[in-house]
Amino acid sequence: MLAIIGGTGLTQMEGLDVVSRKAVSTQWGEPSAEILTGSVGGKQVLFLARHGDPHRIPPHKVNYRANIQALKDAGASAVVAVNAVGGIHPECQPAGLMIPDQIVDYTWGREHTFFADDLDEVVHIDFSWPYDEPLRQLLLAQAERLNLKVMSQGVYGATQGPRLESAGEIQRMMRDGCDIVGMTGMPEAALAREAGLPYACIALVVNMAAGLTDEIITMTEIESALHQGMGKVLDLLNAGIRVYEG
């Protein structure tokens, strides 16, 4: 069963026929919100609002371990995450979409692993390719079928937040090869890998990153891009859910 993690602008999933809402707890604490079970086109799906419903949990305070654990316990076999991001690459314009294939982690101080304490042996995971390729290709195939313009690869730079980045930090990220910047890509992706859950990201660009235009970044700008782009995200999610087998 596919699980969807909704980010900024997606605390509820339009088109999801909700069957149940369940408040759960895990050994890592409580997830951000209730786990919703529903269906899209006859396919069962799970949904979790990353920042809570209503949107109130900042990126550095999200209990990523509990979120991933709760979805796995609920029967998830794979996860598609929706992330609002800033555009660094010139082609990453507001309201545009990317399905990234790489990630660079600039976060710190977050509980980032299930394998930290009381271990029988040290556990290392391979993270060479952080996003599951078959799941990425499923999303890209559906984007093509829907005639949605989507960047098919790119590097997600994950920053600490909740503040936006400085222009100098964005310049460093450009030198590091990052194409988009967001605050929630890690440790979510790594925890999904540790949990054995294939994981892919739909990144919605909501602003150009700091210093790349002459304008300051405003919430009005971000909300406008969310409004323009979220319909495309929902179309892609609904299409992906309908063809997912797992």
Side-chain angles (χ1 to χ4, degrees):
M1 179 168 39
L2 193 62
I4 308 300
I5 298 179
T8 299
L10 191 61
T11 56
Q12 300 179 8
M13 186 173 163
E14 185 178 333
L16 177 65
D17 182 15
V18 178
V19 175
S20 70
R21 300 172 178 267
K22 189 174 182 181
V24 301
S25 185
T26 75
Q27 68 194 92
W28 314 106
E30 296 183 358
S32 298
E34 295 175 320
I35 303 294
L36 306 187
T37 304
S39 64
V40 172
K43 287 288 189 72
Q44 196 171 40
V45 64
L46 301 170
F47 180 81
L48 174 63
R50 183 189 291 115
H51 297 281
D53 184 12
H55 184 290
R56 63 177 180 268
I57 306 172
H60 67 299
K61 291 292 187 180
V62 171
N63 190 337
Y64 295 95
R65 293 193 298 185
N67 285 354
I68 293 296
Q69 187 68 58
L71 291 173
K72 183 173 183 178
D73 292 346
S77 56
V79 176
V80 173
V82 178
N83 301 79
V85 301
I88 297 176
H89 191 284
E91 292 185 25
C92 295
Q93 295 293 314
L97 301 181
M98 175 190 281
I99 311 295
D101 66 332
Q102 275 297 333
I103 199 162
V104 178
D105 188 7
Y106 300 95
T107 67
W108 49 270
R110 302 182 181 190
E111 296 291 353
H112 65 283
T113 179
F114 293 120
F115 303 113
D117 302 302
D118 302 320
L119 303 178
D120 294 327
E121 60 183 26
V122 175
V123 176
H124 300 284
I125 58 164
D126 178 74
F127 204 55
S128 303
W129 307 102
Y131 300 105
D132 181 74
E133 191 59 23
L135 195 53
R136 277 188 2 94
Q137 291 302 323
L138 180 149
L139 293 171
L140 290 170
Q142 293 309 302
E144 183 176 4
R145 186 181 68 82
L146 294 169
N147 292 317
L148 288 177
K149 183 179 179 181
V150 175
M151 288 191 68
S152 62
Q153 61 184 31
V155 181
Y156 181 130
T159 58
Q160 180 69 359
R163 66 168 178 83
L164 298 176
E165 301 73 34
S166 71
E169 287 168 332
I170 294 301
Q171 289 298 314
R172 179 186 67 165
M173 296 177 76
M174 289 177 67
R175 293 192 294 270
D176 288 348
C178 296
D179 298 300
I180 54 176
V181 54
M183 302 174 188
T184 54
M186 287 290 285
E188 195 173 88
L191 290 166
R193 178 64 53 85
E194 287 186 348
L197 293 174
Y199 178 95
C201 164
I202 301 175
L204 170 60
V205 179
V206 295
N207 60 275
M208 294 306 297
L212 300 184
T213 71
D214 294 332
E215 306 297 324
I216 64 169
I217 300 168
T218 67
M219 288 309 299
T220 299
E221 171 191 4
I222 290 172
E223 289 165 2
S224 175
L226 282 168
H227 180 74
Q228 293 177 52
M230 195 54 70
K232 294 184 290 186
V233 172
L234 288 168
D235 286 346
L236 183 51
L237 284 175
N238 284 318
I241 290 165
R242 290 170 187 269
V243 300
Y244 174 74
E245 299 290 344

